[in-house]
């Protein structure tokens, strides 16, 4: 008996609890626990929930979780083998500082793992897509058994019975179909069960691979080569970006080319409605987008929200496309001659995005292009593709047809493919001068329309009678905001007369800025994008000092408590800079302010 008990315990202990961690929102946390549990052979359900702050998850052995009164076991009138016995497993998700934190209160189970998910009543639930189909067929007057027959033709493995359908139809008829019921979760029975701790550990330690978007489907790339997406504040690998193969790139282009004829003939009012819906969805998920930007790009959450809102303005602009696409007509411009102008879409267009504003730059490209009737190939920055992927998913949710928007990933090779492909008619580029000039010349030589948004060196001229407080506040915000990683950052200040009266106040305000990880509420400055960027900024500062510049404030060696491995550079100020120095000639793209004097 003792040996049998030990064997039973071993079998039960082989079902591992999900690993603790942090998640962008409540749904991601619940999905993580449920999917992990299904992989291990147990089904997770929500026991208690306060949607805005806390959720308690338990193991559902029989499809129903009952909160029973705490009475002695012998008083319960049921069989000892009943599947409704509460399992001790319990996981808790709490919202802390705009992220959801998962902890495991009890990872043990008092039952064996399910070898087949069809054994569990959850497998007989309808999926979200099936609920939509049922609602449409119900509204059309289709009888229940015909509805069920149609669903089983689409999915032969469907376990639902007429009773489940009648219950759902009653909820639809009574208007009691809540969001929770509508988005019910059903275990994926096609995923094999595993209780191997070695395999589970390997899967958990392997970062998520960012998919491609081709013809309306998120597909995993077959590419072997990948690039790690790294959190600049922690050096944690967030995900892996595949270097899209040429065949996959051509698949995306062909999908966009195939979708173009029907999309260009879609009424502009229909395209506008999709943009209105996209605007609504972006506002709904702005917190999720902001956290993705902060995690992958490093900027503070407030700056991430500004990033999204600036892009949202372009979506709002696209909502007015009906009037923006008006043509021109001049009757009898010459004797017996009328002239007219018609604005027509070009075809397949492409956008190449920079890393510094991952949401805004993406929204600068595809919303206007597709609302004008074009189809689009988007290449996000390989350093932070997450926000672009979220925006693409929202565009699909808004009703964008398959193939109108496609996403590929990569670096130099994929940019060259975009420039060379004869089916792509126009290219928008955002990035550095070197890459921008290469893209412009290569794409233009193939007859493409090209707009290339590159780097800049912005100057401020300070007159002796300028307001001291207003000027210093403006200099600090413009020079150090977004950690200096923006093409409109103020990099050079020219003081008419002497800079000496301004220096002390400038240093005091710069020192008052809090440098920390972007998700910290008190942070004013986040990290720069990479170790290489940090090293380059340090080299440029050192070169200027060696050439005679005066280092008024040095932020190169700043250490942030709790984030010691981050790519942090504090506010740095160089005075007595001349036009012959490298720091003046080059775009720094960091929190470095140069002070010059005009005598």
């Amino acid at each position: 008996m003792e040996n049998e008990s030990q064997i039973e315990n071993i079998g039960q202990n082989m079902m591992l609890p999900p690993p603790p961690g942090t998640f962008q929102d409540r749904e991601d946390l619940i999905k993580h626990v449920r999917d992990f549990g299904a992989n291990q052979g147990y089904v997770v359900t929500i026991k208690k929930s306060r949607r805005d702050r806390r959720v308690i998850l338990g193991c559902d052995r029989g499809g129903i979780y009952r909160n029973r009164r705490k009475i002695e076991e012998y008083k319960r009138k049921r069989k000892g083998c009943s599947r409704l016995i509460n399992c001790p497993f319990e996981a808790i998700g709490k919202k802390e500082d705009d992220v959801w934190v998962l902890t495991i209160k009890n990872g043990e189970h008092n039952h064996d793992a399910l070898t087949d998910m069809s054994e569990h009543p959850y497998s007989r639930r309808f999926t979200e897509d099936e609920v939509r189909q049922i609602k449409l067929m119900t509204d059309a007057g289709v009888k229940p058994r015909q509805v069920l027959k149609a669903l089983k033709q689409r999915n032969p493995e469907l376990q639902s019975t007429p009773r489940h359908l009648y219950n759902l139809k009653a909820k639809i008829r009574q208007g009691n179909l809540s969001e929770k019921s509508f988005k019910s979760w059903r275990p994926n029975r096609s995923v094999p069960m595993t209780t191997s701790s070695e395999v589970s550990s390997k899967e958990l330690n392997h970062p998520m691979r960012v998919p491609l978007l081709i013809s309306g489907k998120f597909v995993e790339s077959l590419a072997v080569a990948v690039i790690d997406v790294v959190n600049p504040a922690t050096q944690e690998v967030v995900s892996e970006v595949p270097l899209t193969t040429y065949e996959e790139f051509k698949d995306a282009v062909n999908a966009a080319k195939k979708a173009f004829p029907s999309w260009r003939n879609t009424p502009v009012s229909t395209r506008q409605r999709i943009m209105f819906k996209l605007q609504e969805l972006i506002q709904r998920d702005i917190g999720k987008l902001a956290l993705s930007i902060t995690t992958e790009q490093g900027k503070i959450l407030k700056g991430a929200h500004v990033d999204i809102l600036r892009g949202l303005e372009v979506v709002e602009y696209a909502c007015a496309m009906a009037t923006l696409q008006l043509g021109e007509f001049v009757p009898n411009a010459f004797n017996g001659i009328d002239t007219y102008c018609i604005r027509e879409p070009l075809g397949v267009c492409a956008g190449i995005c920079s890393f510094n504003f991952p949401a805004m730059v993406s929204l600068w490209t595809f919303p206007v292009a597709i609302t004008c009737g074009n189809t689009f190939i988007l290449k996000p920055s390989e350093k932070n593709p997450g926000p672009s992927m979220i925006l693409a998913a929202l565009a699909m949710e808004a009703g964008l047809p398959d193939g109108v928007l496609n996403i590929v990933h990569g670096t130099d090779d994929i940019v060259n493919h975009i420039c060379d492909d004869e089916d792509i008619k126009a290219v928008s580029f955002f990035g550095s001068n070197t890459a921008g000039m290469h893209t412009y010349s290569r794409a233009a030589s193939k007859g493409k329309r090209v707009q290339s948004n590159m780097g800049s060196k912005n100057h401020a001229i300070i007159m002796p009678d300028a307001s001291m407080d207003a000027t210093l506040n403006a200099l600090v915000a413009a020079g150090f905001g977004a950690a200096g990683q923006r093409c409109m950052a103020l990099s050079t200040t020219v003081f008419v007369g002497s800079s000496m009266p301004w220096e002390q106040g400038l240093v005091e305000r710069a020192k008052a800025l809090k440098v920390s990880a972007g998700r910290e509420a008190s942070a004013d400055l986040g990290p720069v994008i990479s170790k290489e960027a940090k090293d380059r900024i340090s080299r440029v500062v050192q070169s200027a000092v060696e050439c005679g510049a005066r280092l008024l404030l040095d932020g190169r060696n700043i250490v942030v408590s709790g984030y010691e491995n981050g790519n942090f550079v504090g506010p740095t100020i160089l005075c007595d800079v001349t036009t012959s120095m490298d720091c003046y000639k080059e775009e720094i793209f960091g929190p470095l302010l140069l002070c010059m004097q005009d005598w």
Side-chain angles (χ1 to χ4, degrees):
M1 293 295 291
E2 185 177 351
N3 291 337
E4 290 178 4
S5 177
Q6 290 176 353
I7 292 171
E8 183 180 353
N9 288 335
I10 290 172
Q12 293 165 6
N13 290 335
M14 288 173 69
M15 289 191 290
L16 301 174
T22 58
F23 300 85
Q24 295 180 0
D25 55 34
R26 176 180 178 273
E27 285 68 31
D28 287 345
L29 183 147
I30 295 172
K31 184 178 185 301
H32 166 73
V33 178
R34 280 177 163 171
D35 290 348
F36 187 93
N39 182 267
Q40 291 289 310
Y42 59 91
V43 174
V44 173
T45 187
I46 299 174
K47 292 169 64 176
K48 293 182 180 179
S49 175
R50 287 185 58 190
R51 178 166 288 274
D52 55 338
R53 298 306 303 174
R54 189 180 185 192
V55 61
I56 301 177
L57 304 172
C59 174
D60 190 334
R61 298 184 58 185
I64 302 172
Y65 195 99
R66 292 182 178 176
N67 256 335
R68 296 180 179 81
R69 293 170 299 184
K70 294 183 178 180
I71 58 177
E72 291 82 351
E73 187 68 26
Y74 69 90
K75 289 184 180 180
R76 295 181 179 176
K77 296 181 180 179
R78 62 174 177 218
K79 296 180 181 179
C81 60
S82 171
R83 297 175 68 187
L84 298 180
I85 297 174
N86 289 352
C87 177
F89 172 85
E90 191 167 275
I92 298 175
K94 282 186 178 180
K95 190 174 183 182
E96 299 177 1
D97 298 329
D98 295 325
V99 297
W100 284 81
V101 180
L102 172 65
T103 56
I104 307 302
K105 184 176 180 181
N106 190 335
E108 297 180 356
H109 298 266
N110 59 3
H111 57 91
D112 294 330
L114 290 169
T115 57
D116 183 357
M117 275 297 168
S118 62
E119 297 175 5
H120 199 281
Y122 267 31
S123 66
R124 294 191 287 274
R125 283 188 170 187
F126 293 109
T127 64
E128 182 178 345
D129 184 55
E130 288 166 351
V131 172
R132 286 198 184 97
Q133 295 174 31
I134 291 169
K135 192 173 188 308
L136 288 173
M137 287 187 279
T138 300
D139 293 342
V142 181
K143 294 182 178 179
R145 291 192 179 275
Q146 293 175 329
V147 171
L148 200 60
K149 184 178 179 181
L151 293 175
K152 286 187 175 180
Q153 286 176 346
R154 294 188 179 97
N155 179 16
E157 295 184 354
L158 185 69
Q159 299 283 314
S160 303
T161 65
R163 180 173 58 83
H164 294 96
L165 182 60
Y166 283 121
N167 290 340
L168 180 64
K169 283 172 60 69
K171 289 182 179 180
I172 294 174
R173 200 165 45 245
Q174 296 168 8
N176 295 332
L177 193 63
S178 66
E179 185 73 10
K180 179 180 176 182
S181 302
F182 186 73
K183 295 192 174 181
S184 61
W185 177 83
R186 181 169 72 187
N188 184 357
R189 294 185 290 121
S190 64
V191 177
M193 299 299 163
T194 176
T195 56
S196 168
S197 59
E198 181 180 352
V199 174
S200 300
S201 176
K202 181 179 178 181
E203 289 175 353
L204 293 170
N205 293 332
H206 197 277
M208 182 194 75
R209 193 177 174 101
V210 181
L212 310 173
L213 176 60
I214 300 176
S215 193
K217 296 180 177 62
F218 290 99
V219 296
E220 185 169 341
S221 173
L222 300 177
V224 176
V226 296
I227 296 176
D228 289 340
V229 177
V230 179
N231 185 331
T234 63
Q235 303 308 307
E236 173 193 2
V237 177
V238 179
S239 59
E240 288 180 345
V241 178
L243 301 186
T244 306
T245 65
Y246 179 72
E247 291 74 18
E248 291 167 339
F249 166 74
K250 284 303 295 181
D251 288 343
V253 174
N254 291 334
K257 185 178 178 181
K258 182 180 178 182
F260 175 63
S262 61
W263 181 243
R264 71 172 297 174
N265 291 321
T266 300
V268 65
S269 58
T270 301
R271 296 185 229 138
Q272 282 180 292
R273 280 196 294 273
I274 293 174
M275 286 299 106
F276 276 114
K277 183 63 177 177
L278 177 60
Q279 175 196 28
E280 175 190 332
L281 295 175
I282 291 172
Q283 290 173 334
R284 182 196 72 186
D285 288 356
I286 191 169
K288 183 177 182 179
L289 273 164
L291 189 59
S292 177
I293 293 170
T294 298
T295 301
E296 295 185 0
Q297 200 272 344
K299 66 176 61 178
I300 62 174
L301 281 170
K302 183 179 178 181
H305 277 83
V306 172
D307 184 340
I308 300 163
L309 292 173
R310 288 286 179 267
L312 194 60
E313 292 173 353
V314 180
V315 179
E316 293 167 347
Y317 178 80
C319 290
M321 195 54 65
T323 54
L324 296 172
Q325 283 196 295
L326 292 175
E328 298 173 356
F329 178 75
V330 180
N332 205 32
F334 300 98
N335 189 24
I337 298 175
D338 298 338
T339 66
Y340 62 90
C341 171
I342 299 174
R343 291 186 169 90
E344 294 185 334
L346 297 173
V348 182
C349 301
I352 302 168
C353 301
S354 57
F355 73 84
N356 54 334
F357 285 89
M360 182 183 76
V361 172
S362 293
L363 292 172
W364 277 358
T365 57
F366 76 83
V368 172
I370 62 178
T371 313
C372 287
N374 302 288
T375 54
F376 208 81
I377 306 293
L378 182 68
K379 193 207 85 67
S381 170
E382 67 279 4
K383 293 181 173 65
N384 42 29
S388 296
M389 300 306 296
I390 295 174
L391 290 171
L394 295 180
M396 301 300 292
E397 185 180 346
L400 199 64
D402 295 348
V404 174
L405 175 62
N406 304 271
I407 294 182
V408 295
H409 304 292
T411 54
D412 299 349
D413 288 343
I414 207 72
V415 171
N416 290 337
H417 293 333
I418 290 173
C419 293
D420 296 342
D421 195 285
E422 61 182 13
D423 290 322
I424 295 177
K425 306 302 181 184
V427 179
S428 291
F429 171 87
F430 299 84
S432 66
N433 287 355
T434 303
M437 288 186 286
H438 168 80
T439 302
Y440 186 89
S441 60
R442 185 157 182 161
S445 68
K446 302 294 182 180
K448 293 176 172 37
R449 299 189 185 187
V450 190
Q451 56 182 18
S452 191
N453 303 272
M454 302 184 289
S456 62
K457 199 75 175 177
N458 304 297
H459 292 60
I461 299 175
I462 310 302
M463 303 300 291
D465 60 347
S467 168
M468 179 72 73
D469 287 337
T471 301
L472 291 176
N473 290 337
L475 290 178
V476 169
F480 304 126
Q485 298 178 118
R486 52 187 180 189
C487 59
M488 293 303 292
L490 177 63
S491 58
T492 307
T493 304
V494 181
F495 292 93
V496 177
S498 173
S499 64
M500 296 298 290
W502 303 87
E503 290 178 3
Q504 183 179 352
L506 190 59
V507 170
E508 289 175 355
R509 281 171 170 77
K511 282 184 175 180
L513 297 176
K514 174 72 178 295
V515 180
S516 187
R519 63 174 58 192
E520 297 293 338
S522 59
D524 298 309
L525 245 71
V528 294
I529 189 65
S530 64
K531 290 285 186 185
E532 293 76 15
K534 179 179 179 179
D535 293 342
R536 179 178 174 273
I537 294 168
S538 298
R539 285 197 302 272
V540 170
V541 172
Q542 187 59 37
S543 172
V545 172
E546 292 172 357
C547 291
R550 183 160 47 94
L551 188 57
L552 202 62
L553 180 62
D554 189 358
R556 290 175 291 175
N557 299 317
I558 189 170
V559 177
V560 178
S561 177
Y563 302 95
E564 288 78 10
N565 295 324
N567 310 323
F568 294 100
V569 179
T572 302
I573 302 173
L574 284 171
C575 289
D576 302 335
V577 173
T578 64
T579 56
S580 62
M581 296 179 183
D582 289 341
C583 62
Y584 179 79
K585 296 176 183 178
E586 300 176 8
E587 185 182 23
I588 307 303
F589 235 55
L592 173 60
L593 183 63
L594 311 180
C595 297
M596 305 176 72
Q597 301 185 51
D598 179 21
W599 298 95

